[in-house]
Protein backbone atom coordinates (compact mmCIF):
# COMPACT_ATOMS: atom_id res chain seq x y z
CA UNK A 1 0.00 0.00 0.00
CA UNK A 2 1.29 3.45 -0.90
CA UNK A 3 2.57 5.48 2.06
CA UNK A 4 0.57 8.62 2.84
CA UNK A 5 2.57 11.78 3.52
CA UNK A 6 1.14 14.78 5.38
CA UNK A 7 2.31 17.92 7.16
CA UNK A 8 3.88 17.48 10.59
CA UNK A 9 1.07 19.50 12.14
CA UNK A 10 -1.48 17.00 10.79
CA UNK A 11 -0.16 14.12 12.91
CA UNK A 12 0.09 16.14 16.13
CA UNK A 13 -3.19 15.19 17.78
CA UNK A 14 -4.90 17.61 20.17
CA UNK A 15 -6.26 14.96 22.54
CA UNK A 16 -3.25 14.63 24.84
CA UNK A 17 -2.78 10.98 23.88
CA UNK A 18 0.29 9.39 22.31
CA UNK A 19 3.85 8.65 23.38
CA UNK A 20 5.34 12.16 23.19
CA UNK A 21 3.33 15.11 24.48
CA UNK A 22 3.98 18.72 23.47
CA UNK A 23 3.13 21.37 26.05
CA UNK A 24 3.59 25.16 25.83
CA UNK A 25 4.42 27.73 28.51
CA UNK A 26 3.71 31.14 26.91
CA UNK A 27 4.34 33.28 29.99
CA UNK A 28 7.05 35.77 30.86
CA UNK A 29 8.97 36.25 34.11
CA UNK A 30 7.42 39.25 35.93
CA UNK A 31 10.62 41.15 36.65
CA UNK A 32 11.73 44.69 35.96
CA UNK A 33 14.17 43.45 33.36
CA UNK A 34 11.41 41.54 31.58
CA UNK A 35 9.63 44.86 31.02
CA UNK A 36 12.48 46.32 29.01
CA UNK A 37 11.29 46.77 25.40
CA UNK A 38 14.15 44.71 23.98
CA UNK A 39 13.23 41.77 26.23
CA UNK A 40 9.52 41.62 25.46
CA UNK A 41 8.22 38.97 23.12
CA UNK A 42 9.36 35.61 24.48
CA UNK A 43 5.81 34.82 25.60
CA UNK A 44 4.81 34.91 21.91
CA UNK A 45 7.26 32.16 20.93
CA UNK A 46 5.14 29.02 21.44
CA UNK A 47 2.20 30.39 19.43
CA UNK A 48 4.43 31.65 16.59
CA UNK A 49 6.12 28.27 16.33
CA UNK A 50 2.89 26.51 15.37
CA UNK A 51 2.77 28.46 12.09
CA UNK A 52 5.83 26.72 10.71
CA UNK A 53 4.89 23.04 11.06
CA UNK A 54 3.32 23.05 7.59
CA UNK A 55 6.46 24.52 5.99
CA UNK A 56 8.90 21.71 6.73
CA UNK A 57 9.23 18.22 5.26
CA UNK A 58 6.23 16.03 4.54
CA UNK A 59 6.05 13.09 6.94
CA UNK A 60 4.41 9.68 7.05
CA UNK A 61 0.91 9.72 8.45
CA UNK A 62 1.80 8.04 11.76
CA UNK A 63 -1.13 8.84 13.99
CA UNK A 64 -1.04 8.25 17.74
CA UNK A 65 2.65 8.94 18.32
CA UNK A 66 2.66 12.70 18.98
CA UNK A 67 0.08 14.83 20.71
CA UNK A 68 -0.30 18.24 22.31
CA UNK A 69 -2.11 19.47 25.39
CA UNK A 70 -1.74 23.09 24.34
CA UNK A 71 -0.71 25.88 26.68
CA UNK A 72 -0.34 25.86 30.43
CA UNK A 73 -3.34 28.03 31.21
CA UNK A 74 -4.41 29.55 27.91
CA UNK A 75 -4.50 33.36 28.31
CA UNK A 76 -7.57 33.76 26.10
CA UNK A 77 -9.52 31.53 28.47
CA UNK A 78 -8.63 33.60 31.49
CA UNK A 79 -9.35 37.17 30.50
CA UNK A 80 -12.32 38.69 32.28
CA UNK A 81 -14.14 41.88 31.40
CA UNK A 82 -15.43 43.98 34.28
CA UNK A 83 -16.46 47.62 34.16
CA UNK A 84 -14.87 47.96 30.73
CA UNK A 85 -11.46 47.01 32.09
CA UNK A 86 -9.56 43.90 31.08
CA UNK A 87 -8.16 41.78 33.89
CA UNK A 88 -5.42 39.63 32.44
CA UNK A 89 -3.31 36.77 33.78
CA UNK A 90 -1.15 39.16 35.78
CA UNK A 91 -4.06 39.90 38.10
CA UNK A 92 -5.36 36.33 38.24
CA UNK A 93 -2.25 34.23 38.82
CA UNK A 94 1.19 34.87 40.20
CA UNK A 95 4.24 33.65 38.31
CA UNK A 96 4.90 31.02 40.97
CA UNK A 97 1.33 29.76 40.66
CA UNK A 98 1.86 29.36 36.92
CA UNK A 99 5.03 27.32 37.55
CA UNK A 100 3.13 25.17 40.06
CA UNK A 101 0.39 24.65 37.51
CA UNK A 102 2.99 23.62 34.92
CA UNK A 103 4.46 21.08 37.36
CA UNK A 104 1.06 19.59 38.15
CA UNK A 105 -0.02 19.48 34.50
CA UNK A 106 3.20 17.78 33.35
CA UNK A 107 2.90 15.24 36.18
CA UNK A 108 -0.80 14.48 35.64
CA UNK A 109 -0.84 14.42 31.84
CA UNK A 110 2.65 13.22 30.92
CA UNK A 111 5.12 11.71 33.39
CA UNK A 112 2.64 9.86 35.62
CA UNK A 113 1.45 8.07 32.45
CA UNK A 114 4.99 7.10 31.38
CA UNK A 115 5.10 9.47 28.41
CA UNK A 116 7.91 11.74 27.21
CA UNK A 117 7.68 15.53 27.06
CA UNK A 118 8.49 18.24 24.53
CA UNK A 119 8.27 21.48 26.50
CA UNK A 120 8.10 24.69 24.45
CA UNK A 121 8.68 27.40 27.03
CA UNK A 122 9.17 31.13 26.74
CA UNK A 123 11.56 31.06 29.71
CA UNK A 124 14.35 28.88 31.06
CA UNK A 125 12.99 28.73 34.64
CA UNK A 126 10.46 26.02 33.75
CA UNK A 127 13.22 23.41 34.00
CA UNK A 128 12.53 23.43 37.76
CA UNK A 129 8.84 22.37 37.68
CA UNK A 130 9.70 19.96 34.86
CA UNK A 131 12.28 18.26 37.08
CA UNK A 132 9.86 18.28 40.04
CA UNK A 133 7.14 16.61 37.97
CA UNK A 134 9.49 13.87 36.77
CA UNK A 135 10.66 13.25 40.34
CA UNK A 136 7.08 12.89 41.56
CA UNK A 137 6.36 10.29 38.89
CA UNK A 138 9.70 8.48 39.30
CA UNK A 139 10.69 8.83 43.00
CA UNK A 140 13.29 6.06 43.11
CA UNK A 141 15.22 6.76 39.93
CA UNK A 142 18.41 8.66 39.24
CA UNK A 143 17.99 11.70 37.02
CA UNK A 144 20.45 13.82 35.06
CA UNK A 145 19.56 17.37 33.99
CA UNK A 146 21.49 18.42 30.88
CA UNK A 147 21.50 22.17 30.17
CA UNK A 148 22.78 24.11 27.16
CA UNK A 149 23.13 27.78 28.05
CA UNK A 150 25.80 30.51 28.04
CA UNK A 151 24.62 31.43 31.55
CA UNK A 152 25.20 29.39 34.70
CA UNK A 153 21.92 30.51 36.35
CA UNK A 154 23.59 30.14 39.75
CA UNK A 155 23.27 33.60 41.27
CA UNK A 156 22.29 33.55 44.92
CA UNK A 157 19.81 36.40 45.10
CA UNK A 158 16.54 34.59 44.40
CA UNK A 159 13.73 35.40 46.80
CA UNK A 160 12.84 32.70 49.30
CA UNK A 161 10.42 30.36 47.55
CA UNK A 162 10.67 32.21 44.25
CA UNK A 163 12.62 31.42 41.11
CA UNK A 164 14.44 33.97 39.00
CA UNK A 165 16.08 33.35 35.66
CA UNK A 166 19.46 34.23 37.13
CA UNK A 167 19.15 31.61 39.88
CA UNK A 168 17.07 28.82 38.30
CA UNK A 169 19.87 26.22 38.39
CA UNK A 170 20.78 27.15 41.95
CA UNK A 171 17.15 26.63 42.97
CA UNK A 172 17.16 23.30 41.17
CA UNK A 173 20.47 22.18 42.69
CA UNK A 174 19.35 22.98 46.23
CA UNK A 175 16.16 20.94 45.78
CA UNK A 176 17.37 17.75 44.12
CA UNK A 177 15.22 14.68 44.73
CA UNK A 178 18.29 12.54 45.33
CA UNK A 179 21.96 13.14 46.10
CA UNK A 180 22.66 10.94 43.09
CA UNK A 181 20.92 13.34 40.70
CA UNK A 182 23.30 15.56 38.74
CA UNK A 183 23.17 18.75 36.67
CA UNK A 184 25.46 19.32 33.68
CA UNK A 185 25.67 22.79 32.11
CA UNK A 186 27.51 22.85 28.78
CA UNK A 187 28.76 25.96 27.00
CA UNK A 188 28.81 28.58 29.76
CA UNK A 189 30.71 31.73 28.77
CA UNK A 190 33.41 32.72 31.25
CA UNK A 191 32.62 36.39 30.62
CA UNK A 192 29.04 35.75 31.84
CA UNK A 193 29.97 33.96 35.05
CA UNK A 194 29.70 36.19 38.13
CA UNK A 195 32.01 35.95 41.13
CA UNK A 196 29.06 34.99 43.33
CA UNK A 197 28.31 32.11 40.97
CA UNK A 198 31.86 30.79 41.27
CA UNK A 199 31.44 30.75 45.04
CA UNK A 200 28.08 29.02 44.69
CA UNK A 201 29.51 26.42 42.32
CA UNK A 202 32.10 25.40 44.93
CA UNK A 203 29.26 24.54 47.32
CA UNK A 204 27.17 22.51 44.86
CA UNK A 205 28.88 19.18 44.28
CA UNK A 206 26.14 17.88 41.97
CA UNK A 207 26.51 20.73 39.46
CA UNK A 208 29.10 20.22 36.70
CA UNK A 209 29.88 23.21 34.50
CA UNK A 210 31.83 23.18 31.23
CA UNK A 211 32.93 26.43 29.61
CA UNK A 212 32.26 27.17 25.97
CA UNK A 213 35.92 28.09 25.52
CA UNK A 214 36.95 24.54 26.56
CA UNK A 215 34.72 22.76 24.01
CA UNK A 216 34.78 22.00 20.32
CA UNK A 217 32.07 20.35 18.25
CA UNK A 218 33.50 16.85 18.48
CA UNK A 219 34.14 17.10 22.21
CA UNK A 220 30.68 18.40 23.09
CA UNK A 221 28.93 15.63 21.14
CA UNK A 222 31.14 13.06 22.89
CA UNK A 223 30.22 14.61 26.24
CA UNK A 224 26.50 14.56 25.46
CA UNK A 225 26.63 10.96 24.24
CA UNK A 226 28.47 9.89 27.41
CA UNK A 227 25.94 11.66 29.67
CA UNK A 228 22.83 10.24 28.01
CA UNK A 229 24.29 6.73 27.81
CA UNK A 230 25.28 6.64 31.49
CA UNK A 231 21.96 7.88 32.89
CA UNK A 232 18.63 6.08 32.63
CA UNK A 233 16.71 9.36 32.82
CA UNK A 234 17.87 12.58 31.17
CA UNK A 235 15.95 15.88 31.16
CA UNK A 236 17.36 18.30 28.57
CA UNK A 237 16.97 22.09 28.53
CA UNK A 238 18.23 24.03 25.51
CA UNK A 239 18.13 27.83 25.71
CA UNK A 240 18.34 29.60 22.37
CA UNK A 241 20.64 32.07 24.13
CA UNK A 242 23.23 29.35 23.46
CA UNK A 243 22.65 29.47 19.70
CA UNK A 244 25.03 31.32 17.37
CA UNK A 245 23.31 34.55 16.36
CA UNK A 246 24.03 34.20 12.65
CA UNK A 247 21.90 31.04 12.72
CA UNK A 248 19.26 32.05 15.25
CA UNK A 249 18.49 35.76 15.58
CA UNK A 250 15.19 35.33 17.46
CA UNK A 251 16.66 35.67 20.94
CA UNK A 252 17.17 38.45 23.48
CA UNK A 253 20.88 37.75 24.00
CA UNK A 254 23.03 37.84 20.85
CA UNK A 255 25.70 35.15 20.94
CA UNK A 256 28.59 35.58 18.55
CA UNK A 257 30.83 32.90 20.03
CA UNK A 258 28.99 29.60 20.15
CA UNK A 259 29.34 26.04 18.93
CA UNK A 260 25.63 25.88 18.18
CA UNK A 261 24.97 26.88 14.59
CA UNK A 262 22.06 25.40 12.66
CA UNK A 263 23.94 22.28 11.57
CA UNK A 264 25.33 21.48 15.01
CA UNK A 265 21.94 22.07 16.69
CA UNK A 266 20.32 19.64 14.27
CA UNK A 267 23.04 17.05 15.01
CA UNK A 268 22.47 17.53 18.74
CA UNK A 269 18.69 17.02 18.67
CA UNK A 270 19.09 13.99 16.41
CA UNK A 271 21.39 12.47 19.02
CA UNK A 272 18.92 13.31 21.79
CA UNK A 273 15.99 11.90 19.83
CA UNK A 274 17.80 8.61 19.20
CA UNK A 275 18.18 7.85 22.92
CA UNK A 276 15.33 6.27 24.92
CA UNK A 277 16.99 7.71 28.06
CA UNK A 278 15.98 11.27 27.10
CA UNK A 279 12.60 11.68 28.82
CA UNK A 280 12.05 15.35 28.06
CA UNK A 281 13.42 18.15 25.89
CA UNK A 282 12.75 21.78 26.78
CA UNK A 283 13.38 24.65 24.36
CA UNK A 284 13.25 28.19 25.70
CA UNK A 285 13.94 31.84 24.87
CA UNK A 286 12.65 32.02 21.31
CA UNK A 287 11.59 35.65 20.86
CA UNK A 288 9.79 36.28 17.54
CA UNK A 289 9.86 40.04 18.13
CA UNK A 290 13.61 39.93 17.65
CA UNK A 291 13.34 37.81 14.48
CA UNK A 292 10.45 35.61 13.51
CA UNK A 293 10.58 33.72 10.24
CA UNK A 294 14.07 32.23 9.85
CA UNK A 295 14.37 31.43 13.56
CA UNK A 296 10.90 29.87 13.59
CA UNK A 297 11.71 27.70 10.59
CA UNK A 298 14.92 26.48 12.25
CA UNK A 299 13.10 25.88 15.55
CA UNK A 300 10.41 23.77 13.86
CA UNK A 301 13.08 21.79 12.02
CA UNK A 302 14.80 21.06 15.33
CA UNK A 303 11.54 19.66 16.68
CA UNK A 304 11.08 17.65 13.50
CA UNK A 305 14.64 16.26 13.68
CA UNK A 306 14.08 15.16 17.28
CA UNK A 307 10.72 13.50 16.52
CA UNK A 308 12.00 11.91 13.32
CA UNK A 309 14.77 10.13 15.23
CA UNK A 310 12.19 8.78 17.69
CA UNK A 311 9.50 7.73 15.21
CA UNK A 312 11.12 7.56 11.71
CA UNK A 313 8.62 9.98 10.19
CA UNK A 314 10.20 10.20 6.74
Amino acid sequence: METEYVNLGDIIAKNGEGETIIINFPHEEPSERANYPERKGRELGPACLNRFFSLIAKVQNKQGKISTIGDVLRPKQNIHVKRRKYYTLKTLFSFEELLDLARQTIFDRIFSLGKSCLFISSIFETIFPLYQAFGLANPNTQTTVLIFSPFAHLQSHYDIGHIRNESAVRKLAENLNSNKDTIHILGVHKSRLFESEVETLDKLSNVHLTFDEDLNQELVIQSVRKIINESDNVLVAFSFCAAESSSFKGCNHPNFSSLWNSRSMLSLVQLLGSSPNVKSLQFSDYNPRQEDYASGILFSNLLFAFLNEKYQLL
Side-chain angles (χ1 to χ4, degrees), residues 279-314:
K279 308 302 184 184
S280 75
L281 173 57
Q282 170 183 297
F283 286 104
S284 65
D285 298 298
Y286 166 43
N287 187 341
R289 283 191 178 177
Q290 298 293 336
E291 197 280 323
D292 181 13
Y293 187 79
S295 299
I297 289 287
L298 176 55
F299 193 173
S300 59
N301 273 276
L302 294 175
L303 293 180
F304 167 73
F306 177 80
L307 293 169
N308 185 48
E309 285 299 316
K310 290 180 72 68
Y311 301 119
Q312 289 75 54
L313 299 176
L314 290 178

Side-chain angles (χ1 to χ4, degrees), residues 2 9 49 84 90 110 113 127 192 202 215 308 310:
E2 186 176 352
L49 178 65
R84 299 184 180 179
K90 290 184 179 179
I110 302 175
L113 303 177
I127 187 59
R192 294 179 173 177
D202 293 336
L215 293 171
N308 185 48
K310 290 180 72 68

Side-chain angles (χ1 to χ4, degrees), residues 1-18:
M1 187 174 72
E2 186 176 352
T3 302
E4 180 185 4
Y5 286 88
V6 297
N7 292 325
L8 177 61
D10 295 331
I11 65 169
I12 300 177
K14 295 179 174 59
N15 53 15
E17 299 177 0

Side-chain angles (χ1 to χ4, degrees), residues 210-228:
T210 305
F211 289 111
D212 180 82
E213 293 85 348
D214 298 331
L215 293 171
N216 56 46
Q217 192 56 54
E218 182 179 356
L219 184 59
V220 73
I221 293 297
Q222 289 177 357
S223 299
V224 172
R225 183 176 284 110
K226 183 174 185 294
I227 290 169
I228 63 178

Side-chain angles (χ1 to χ4, degrees), residues 31-272:
S31 67
E32 290 184 6
R33 293 199 312 148
N35 290 324
Y36 291 171
E38 66 272 15
R39 292 180 60 88
K40 287 181 175 292
R42 291 188 300 177
E43 71 280 3
L44 305 175
C48 285
L49 178 65
N50 295 332
R51 299 164 35 224
F52 300 109
F53 286 147
S54 63
L55 301 179
I56 57 178
K58 295 285 187 179
V59 300
Q60 295 184 46
N61 191 8
K62 293 188 175 182
Q63 300 286 346
K65 296 292 186 181
I66 311 161
S67 184
T68 179
I69 55 178
D71 298 345
V72 172
L73 198 64
R74 290 181 180 271
K76 66 181 180 181
Q77 296 176 351
N78 294 276
I79 295 179
H80 297 265
V81 180
K82 184 178 182 182
R83 296 179 183 175
R84 299 184 180 179
K85 292 183 179 179
Y86 288 88
Y87 293 83
T88 64
L89 283 171
K90 290 184 179 179
T91 62
L92 294 174
F93 297 92
S94 72
F95 182 63
E96 295 302 317
E97 287 173 332
L98 288 172
L99 292 179
D100 286 341
L101 182 61
R103 173 185 54 78
Q104 194 61 48
T105 303
I106 294 169
F107 171 74
D108 289 342
R109 303 288 301 275
I110 302 175
F111 288 145
S112 68
L113 303 177
K115 302 178 180 183
S116 59
C117 177
L118 257 177
F119 199 7
I120 313 304
S121 180
S122 56
I123 56 174
F124 175 80
E125 294 96 308
T126 46
I127 187 59
F128 183 62
L130 185 70
Y131 171 81
Q132 286 182 310
F134 188 83
L136 286 172
N138 304 273
N140 300 313
T141 60
Q142 181 180 348
T143 304
T144 298
V145 181
L146 178 57
I147 295 169
F148 299 89
S149 172
F151 305 101
H153 304 282
L154 286 170
Q155 289 189 41
S156 60
H157 57 266
Y158 66 81
D159 300 328
I160 300 301
H162 294 74
I163 307 173
R164 298 293 185 196
N165 180 56
E166 298 87 351
S167 57
V169 173
R170 179 185 173 93
K171 181 76 171 178
L172 179 65
E174 293 179 348
N175 292 273
L176 291 176
N177 298 322
S178 165
N179 57 12
K180 294 182 180 180
D181 289 358
T182 55
I183 303 169
H184 294 266
I185 316 172
L186 300 182
V188 173
H189 288 194
K190 291 180 180 179
S191 60
R192 294 179 173 177
L193 187 68
F194 294 91
E195 183 177 348
S196 62
E197 292 180 308
V198 176
E199 296 172 356
T200 299
L201 189 62
D202 293 336
K203 302 173 184 177
L204 300 174
S205 59
N206 288 19
V207 178
H208 307 282
L209 186 151
T210 305
F211 289 111
D212 180 82
E213 293 85 348
D214 298 331
L215 293 171
N216 56 46
Q217 192 56 54
E218 182 179 356
L219 184 59
V220 73
I221 293 297
Q222 289 177 357
S223 299
V224 172
R225 183 176 284 110
K226 183 174 185 294
I227 290 169
I228 63 178
N229 287 341
E230 293 180 352
S231 177
D232 292 334
N233 304 290
V234 183
L235 311 180
V236 182
F238 188 95
S239 167
F240 281 112
C241 295
E244 217 283 329
S245 292
S246 62
S247 295
F248 197 94
K249 295 182 174 67
C251 183
N252 288 336
H253 297 278
N255 191 338
F256 302 104
S257 175
S258 173
L259 298 171
W260 302 114
N261 56 30
S262 57
R263 185 181 295 274
S264 58
M265 283 190 283
L266 286 166
S267 297
L268 173 66
V269 297
Q270 287 172 336
L271 174 60
L272 297 173

